[in-house]
Amino acid sequence: MEHVPPPAEELARLDRELAELDARRAQLLTRRAWLLAALRPPAPTAAPGWNPSAWGAPAAGRPGAPAQPWGYVPPKRPSAPNSAQNLLLTLGGLLLTVAAIAFTLVSWGSMGIGGRSAVLAAVTVGALAAPAVLLRRGLTATAEALAALALVLTLLDAYAVHAVAAPDTDGLGFTAVAAAVLAALWTAYGLALGKLHLPLPAAVVLAQWPLLFGAWAAGAPTLVVGWALLATAVLDGAIALWGKGTGVRVTACVGGSVMAFSALMVGLTLSVTASGPLGALAPGALLLTAAAAALAGAWRAPRGFARTGGVVAGLAAVAAVGGVPAAAVPEGWRVLAYLLAGLALTAVVRTRLPGNAAIGVLVASAAVVAGALVGTVPGLAAVLLGPVTLPSDVWAGSPEGFRAAVGSTLPWPKLAAAPVVLALVAGLLGAAYRWWPSLARIAAPLIARETPESAGAPAPGASGEGAPGAPGAAAPAAGAPWYAGGRAGAPWYAGGAPAARRRPSGAALRGAAGAGAAVLGWGALLLAGAVLDAPYAVAVAGETLLVAGLLALAVRGAGSGRDGSAAVPVTALVVAVAGAVSAGLLSLASEGASYAVFGALAALFAGAAVRAGAGVPRAVFAVAATVGSTVLTGFAGRSLGLAPHEAAPLVLLVPALTVLFGARLRRNPVALPVELTGALGALVAVVLAVPDAPFLALVLALCGVLAAGAAVRPERRPVAGYLAAALFVLATWVRLAASEVSFPEAYTLPVTVPALVVGFLRRRKDPEASSWTAYGPGLAATLLPSLAVAWTDPGWQRPLLLGVAALVITLLGARYRLQALLLLGGAVLALDGLHELAPYVVQVAGALPRWLPPALAGLLLLVVGATYEQRLRDARRLKDALGRMR
């Protein structure tokens, strides 16, 4: 008999086949169009040299067409490549240089003094004179090559003079004089032959050594060497500002940077290692002179160099001014002297220094402050991370002091200034946050002095710009300036120019200052407790009070929004959470401290959740309070002397309260985070109960009750309902395994039968209800435990009965189109059959040749690949058939 599908199924099948035919038709039409295009003759090309424009230029040859249309681009004559010429000249210059060196070093001794002088003089003069003749003939590249050879010859002349004419002179002194003479010679030579690019940069390179080598040759002290380096750097700076040509300026910049850095390192080393304030004065003078020179160069330099010069000047001034008092105080307090000097640099905003140089000085001030703060990081890390080791020995006894609780071996006396540094910077940031408008007015002249190019716009008077009111001039930007809290606006002279670079708004800067004040103030108080080695009780109470203060700041800032920025409340919240973790870990050394701290933290976070507004901070407060309460229940179990698995049911008190709390709040945004936190607490209880199977079954059952209670609410039912069913079934399995029950059907069938009856009644009342909801829990309660026992049962009766039951369930699912019955029954039947056939499969596999399984696997893959489209359609049909089942 031929099976005739129902009309709905047949209609769906026809629709799918028609869609496949439409797709195939579209594919064939696309291929046909491509073939027609490939068979057409190629279109005639345009006339040579004609490039029609995009807006309809007349074609070549039309009446009235211009002789040279605007799209025409005349071909350029291919220029002869000069790479071969450069290669030949380079090789020739290298060969001549090698020959000159070989002559000087090897063949010099075979000639007399007259011949030596005549040869070197003739060759050097010829090499110096030849570029002038070649430049008049236009042979610039050849002239450059001979100039390079002449440079090498002059160096060889200097070596030859020292080796023959003055062998007894000091090498460093002779080198200093020779470098000065050669630098002057090559400067004059480069100025005389202005078209040559090599002589002047070479003269700049030679000018780096006379003062340095002269100081070394004279046996000068280190400070004098530093002055020589600084003088050379100043000379390089002058050349970089007023030198001729890009090569000269770049060479001078590089040389000046190296020499200035070396001079600063010399001065800084001498200042740091000075034995007293008087010994630090001379290096300080060197550093101050370097700062003045850097500012003088920054006064005329472009934006980038001006800001770099400002940074160098600021750092040098801090090292000079701070080094004198630093030499008079103990080692742990020296950082404070440099910090005060760095903070004093902020007075640059009241000077007439150019804007870019002043910004560089402010960057240097910020770098000094950042360096001082970095020095406090080891102490803060020890205070925050030290209590992490306490959970391994909970309630071992109160330590003597804060340092003992932290357990760090840091040299705390050397960190004596760290809390002062943090407190000082925190106070300044707090003052900036409080009086931000006044500071903005003070900084306004500095922003006005910033050069136009630094704002991303050309200077006034440039092409295409005019004064206010002139034609084409842009109107003044509306709104307050960026440093006063408004949006950045382009200046009046930026009309038609690129937009000004965006700057951070005043509200964001003010919020950053407030957030930094909160973090640094908290760190200062924490570090002060460790430096002073406060008693353990005082340290624990102090950290808890700090958390309370931060929570108050977070709640107040989130509620007021006065500053227009969320940086302060968010930072206070993050730091409060970190402080709560640190205080909680610190309290684990004592039982009383643990209860007091975690109870206070739970109450504080709960109060903050009540006082805070709606949104993420309120949810964070509530989650933290839930975590603290969960920890308290764990402490209660430990105080009662309960084993971990015995304390697991006690830990479930907080998850039960979160379920009630969620039912009370309903759709409040705080409800879901709190319930998820409670679920994590329930997971902790399950982990605690794992070592003892009976308690594990009890905890799983209690968790199932909580999930069922959450499933009463419609918005939680899709997840909590399935979770409750899974927990109940899992609790049953664990209980049966713990009782060593070999016939679980005696316990599972009494549950399965009523569950199936309830599911049947549910389906009669609501035919659209899913079979997984109606029959899934009842069937799983018996099939899965029976399958687990059948896999370890050596007999044949249980696998046979389970297979028959699974077959019946599978057939019923196929007959009545019930997805749960079909899949559950089919899966259990397949696994049961696999268990029964496994020994025979192993025997057959052992008897087969080793090559046969891979061959069969390859053949299977080939068959599947050859019939891939058909298999894919079969899989889709199976998916659709399962999807239509309930």
Side-chain angles (χ1 to χ4, degrees):
M1 296 178 62
E2 184 179 357
H3 173 67
V4 179
E9 182 180 352
E10 186 176 1
L11 180 61
R13 184 183 303 172
L14 290 177
D15 290 340
R16 287 195 299 273
E17 292 179 357
L18 288 174
E20 293 175 359
L21 289 175
D22 290 341
R24 181 61 177 167
R25 175 180 172 81
Q27 182 182 1
L28 293 176
L29 289 175
T30 303
R31 179 65 177 173
R32 181 176 181 274
W34 184 86
L35 292 173
L36 289 175
L39 292 175
R40 291 195 190 102
T45 58
W50 171 249
N51 182 19
S53 66
W55 51 84
R62 283 187 183 176
Q68 294 291 334
W70 53 82
Y72 173 73
V73 179
K76 295 182 179 180
R77 292 184 179 181
S79 58
N82 56 359
S83 57
Q85 177 188 8
N86 292 335
L87 178 61
L88 293 176
L89 291 174
T90 303
L91 291 177
L94 287 176
L95 290 176
L96 289 175
T97 302
V98 171
I101 294 174
F103 169 76
T104 304
L105 298 179
V106 179
S107 301
W108 184 264
S110 61
M111 300 178 64
I113 185 64
R116 301 169 188 174
S117 302
V119 170
L120 273 180
V123 173
T124 303
V125 170
L128 290 173
V133 178
L134 294 173
L135 287 176
R136 285 196 297 269
R137 295 178 176 272
L139 302 176
T140 306
T142 308
E144 290 282 357
L146 287 180
L149 176 63
L151 173 62
V152 176
L153 288 175
T154 55
L155 296 176
L156 293 176
D157 287 340
Y159 169 76
V161 169
H162 178 264
V164 176
D168 297 330
T169 58
D170 180 58
L172 286 175
F174 183 85
T175 303
V177 175
V181 172
L182 291 177
L185 172 65
W186 277 94
T187 301
Y189 187 74
L191 292 176
L193 301 179
K195 292 184 179 181
L196 294 179
H197 300 288
L198 181 62
L200 290 179
V204 174
V205 174
L206 290 171
Q208 308 301 310
W209 311 114
L211 292 178
L212 177 61
F213 287 162
W216 278 354
T222 307
L223 184 62
V224 176
V225 175
W227 282 105
L229 291 170
L230 180 60
T232 306
V234 171
L235 176 62
D236 288 330
I239 295 173
L241 288 175
W242 295 290
K244 179 182 178 182
T246 305
V248 174
R249 294 187 175 187
V250 171
T251 307
C253 284
V254 174
S257 301
V258 175
M259 292 298 174
F261 179 77
S262 303
L264 291 175
M265 288 299 101
V266 169
L268 181 61
T269 303
L270 294 176
S271 177
V272 171
T273 58
S275 58
L278 295 179
L281 288 177
L286 173 63
L287 292 171
L288 281 180
T289 306
L295 278 183
W299 202 283
R300 299 179 54 87
R303 180 182 64 185
F305 292 98
R307 293 186 178 181
T308 303
V311 172
V312 173
L315 294 177
V318 169
V321 176
V324 176
V329 298
E331 182 179 358
W333 292 91
R334 292 183 178 180
V335 63
L336 194 58
Y338 292 107
L339 176 62
L340 293 175
L343 293 175
L345 291 179
T346 55
V348 74
V349 298
R350 306 297 292 177
T351 64
R352 300 303 301 171
L353 198 65
N356 287 317
I359 290 175
V361 174
L362 292 178
V363 170
S365 175
V368 172
V369 174
L373 294 178
V374 168
T376 65
V377 170
L380 282 176
V383 171
L384 293 176
L385 301 180
V388 174
T389 59
L390 291 177
S392 61
D393 195 10
V394 178
W395 297 352
S398 300
E400 296 180 358
F402 198 0
R403 297 181 190 175
V406 169
S408 175
T409 58
L410 287 177
W412 292 106
K414 293 184 179 180
L415 297 175
V420 181
V421 170
L422 292 173
L424 179 60
V425 179
L428 293 175
L429 290 177
Y433 178 77
R434 175 64 179 83
W435 292 290
W436 182 260
S438 301
L439 293 177
R441 286 192 295 271
I442 294 174
L446 173 63
I447 307 303
R449 294 200 306 271
E450 188 179 359
T451 58
E453 59 189 14
S454 67
S463 177
E465 298 172 356
W482 69 272
Y483 48 80
R487 298 182 59 186
W492 63 268
Y493 51 78
R501 184 175 69 256
R502 290 186 178 180
R503 297 185 177 96
S505 66
L509 293 176
R510 183 185 182 187
V519 174
L520 297 180
W522 169 69
L525 293 175
L526 281 182
L527 202 52
V531 170
L532 298 175
D533 197 15
Y536 174 73
V538 175
V540 172
E543 287 205 29
T544 307
L545 290 177
L546 284 177
V547 173
L550 290 169
L551 288 177
L553 180 61
V555 172
R556 182 181 178 185
S560 64
R562 180 181 55 179
D563 62 334
S565 173
V568 175
V570 170
T571 304
L573 173 59
V574 173
V575 177
V577 173
V581 173
S582 177
L585 292 175
L586 189 65
S587 68
L588 294 179
S590 171
E591 181 177 2
S594 299
Y595 278 106
V597 169
F598 278 94
L601 291 177
L604 288 173
F605 278 103
V610 173
R611 294 295 301 275
V616 175
R618 191 172 188 181
V620 174
F621 293 145
V623 166
T626 305
V627 172
S629 302
T630 305
V631 175
L632 284 175
T633 57
F635 288 161
R638 184 178 178 87
S639 298
L640 294 175
L642 302 177
H645 64 273
E646 294 174 340
L650 192 62
V651 178
L652 292 177
L653 287 177
V654 175
L657 292 177
T658 59
V659 173
L660 297 176
F661 181 76
R664 176 69 176 83
L665 292 181
R666 289 289 178 178
R667 299 187 182 276
N668 193 295
V670 180
L672 181 59
V674 171
E675 290 183 82
L676 291 177
T677 308
L680 291 177
L683 181 61
V684 171
V686 171
V687 173
L688 291 175
V690 166
D692 190 270
F695 270 94
L696 179 59
L698 174 62
V699 171
L700 289 173
L702 293 175
C703 292
V705 171
L706 296 179
V712 174
R713 298 158 54 193
E715 66 273 12
R716 301 286 186 262
R717 188 171 300 157
V719 176
Y722 290 109
L723 181 61
L727 288 172
F728 282 132
V729 173
L730 186 59
T732 303
W733 298 344
V734 173
R735 180 68 259 186
L736 293 175
S739 302
E740 298 181 356
V741 175
S742 58
F743 297 97
E745 293 81 7
Y747 297 89
T748 58
L749 283 176
V751 177
T752 296
V753 173
L756 293 178
V757 172
V758 173
F760 177 74
L761 296 177
R762 169 73 185 278
R763 289 273 298 172
R764 287 190 62 182
K765 183 179 179 180
D766 183 13
E768 297 298 324
S770 173
S771 61
W772 288 101
T773 304
Y775 304 120
L779 291 175
T782 295
L783 289 178
L784 298 181
S786 298
L787 179 63
V789 176
W791 268 68
T792 59
D793 191 353
W796 58 271
Q797 295 87 355
R798 182 185 300 277
L800 176 61
L801 293 175
L802 180 62
V804 171
L807 177 61
V808 172
I809 292 171
T810 304
L811 294 176
L812 290 175
R815 172 65 180 82
Y816 294 102
R817 306 179 60 80
L818 299 175
Q819 192 179 96
L821 275 68
L822 180 62
L823 294 182
L824 274 176
V828 172
L829 180 61
L831 292 175
D832 186 66
L834 178 62
H835 172 264
E836 294 302 309
L837 294 177
Y840 304 103
V841 172
V842 171
Q843 292 180 4
V844 172
L848 291 176
R850 295 294 181 89
W851 58 267
L852 189 57
L856 293 176
L859 181 61
L860 176 63
L861 292 177
L862 288 176
V863 172
V864 173
T867 60
Y868 176 75
E869 294 294 336
Q870 182 63 34
R871 301 287 78 77
L872 189 61
R873 287 194 293 269
D874 294 341
R876 288 173 179 169
R877 293 194 188 99
L878 179 60
K879 177 184 176 183
D880 295 338
L882 289 175
R884 288 192 296 270
M885 292 183 179
R886 300 301 302 173

